Amino acid sequence: MPVPLLHVDAFADGPFRGNPAAVCLLDGARPPAWMQSVAAELNLPATVFVEAARAPFGLRWFSPVAELALCGHGTLAAAHALWDTARLPPGAAARFAARSGELAAVSRDGWIALQMPAEIAAAAAPAVGLLDAIGVKARWVGRNRLDYVIEVDDEAMVRAVVPDLVALAAIETRGVIVTARAATDGVDFVSRFFAPRAGIPEDAVTGSAHCCLAPLWASRLGRSRLTARQLSARGGVVRAEVDADRVILSGQAVTIARGELL
């Protein structure tokens, strides 16, 4: 049977912004090799597979080259797709069973709030060649189970990063987050995210990176509710709230296209 497919821009307040994802609404389990082939064919930062007949919904995420351990923008896109196709009523929570644990999303005043695990970064020595590959002088370097995070002095330094993607792909990490306190009114911190090893040279807006950044900047700034902007070419705004070992990430989403996988 054809598989319903939606193209969704996540963490976006309008079309062609934020981070694009394909959402495939499955009637049952499919082999991981097939999922990876679909993701490679669609060639978006994330292709999301939702087992829509399960409770909670089954959820897996793939980049064009690998399965992802955690994907915030893909989860936001999946929840949006379930409401957009009336598989869930507007006021119902979207609950997902993913390999990283149970996740949930609710819709509030045009924003989608995701309950995600906090991915705390501890101070760490940078991998050999990391700072040269990113091309920055670090104020602080940390590491969690997914990524390196590099804090630099200011927003201008984040904007100016031009990484050596070949050298970066050789480093054992899913990705590298570069972050600084924001210079813009109404925004607390900014970031960029590079993951060439996962087939994503620069991600547009990275929910899972904010599972790391929100606790980091909450401790830096002394408050639990924060507003962040990712400084990619497409850009996007993420609202974040730290609640013990969870992070609530909020963003908007727009459906760009609907179709079927044949």
Side-chain angles (χ1 to χ4, degrees):
M1 295 291 291
V3 174
L5 173 70
L6 285 79
H7 181 127
V8 177
D9 285 345
F11 293 112
D13 60 0
F16 319 125
R17 304 174 191 170
N19 207 354
V23 181
C24 301
L25 299 170
L26 306 177
D27 56 5
R30 294 294 182 94
W34 177 83
M35 296 183 192
Q36 186 63 74
S37 294
V38 171
E41 180 75 12
L42 297 177
N43 199 34
L44 290 173
T47 298
V48 189
F49 298 91
V50 182
E51 287 188 51
R54 286 179 51 183
F57 299 106
L59 185 66
R60 294 177 80 164
W61 317 273
F62 289 77
S63 81
V65 301
E67 185 167 9
L68 302 173
L70 185 65
C71 181
H73 95 275
T75 306
L76 190 148
H80 171 82
L82 291 168
W83 291 310
D84 198 37
T85 59
R87 284 169 171 80
L88 274 179
R95 300 190 182 281
F96 300 103
R99 298 178 76 182
S100 56
E102 188 164 316
L103 307 173
V106 295
S107 181
R108 297 173 179 163
D109 301 321
W111 289 70
I112 297 171
L114 307 176
Q115 292 186 25
M116 303 284 285
E119 298 287 352
I120 306 297
V128 175
L130 173 62
L131 298 182
D132 287 340
I134 291 291
V136 299
K137 181 178 179 181
R139 182 173 187 152
W140 182 85
V141 178
R143 184 79 166 91
N144 65 13
R145 71 185 182 96
L146 298 172
D147 307 309
Y148 279 100
V149 55
I150 301 172
E151 182 186 353
V152 297
D153 285 340
D154 55 40
E155 180 174 320
M157 290 182 68
V158 177
R159 291 182 180 276
V161 169
V162 181
D164 180 337
L165 294 173
V166 173
L168 202 57
I171 294 171
E172 293 280 348
T173 181
R174 181 193 72 156
V176 179
I177 308 162
V178 183
T179 187
R181 189 164 183 172
T184 307
D185 289 343
V187 180
D188 295 299
F189 65 89
V190 297
S191 67
R192 291 172 69 188
F193 181 77
F194 306 96
R197 198 177 182 90
I200 305 169
E202 179 172 4
D203 203 30
V205 189
T206 316
S208 59
H210 286 81
C211 294
C212 168
L213 291 169
L216 175 67
W217 285 104
S219 67
R220 295 276 196 275
L221 301 177
R223 59 181 183 274
S224 61
R225 294 186 179 183
L226 304 160
T227 299
R229 179 176 290 278
Q230 195 153 329
L231 300 178
S232 63
R234 290 171 63 103
V237 172
V238 181
R239 294 176 179 173
E241 181 178 354
V242 179
D243 182 11
D245 62 347
R246 308 292 286 176
V247 175
I248 300 169
L249 301 179
S250 297
Q252 298 169 294
V254 180
T255 299
I256 299 300
R258 297 184 184 90
E260 293 179 328
L261 281 176
L262 302 177

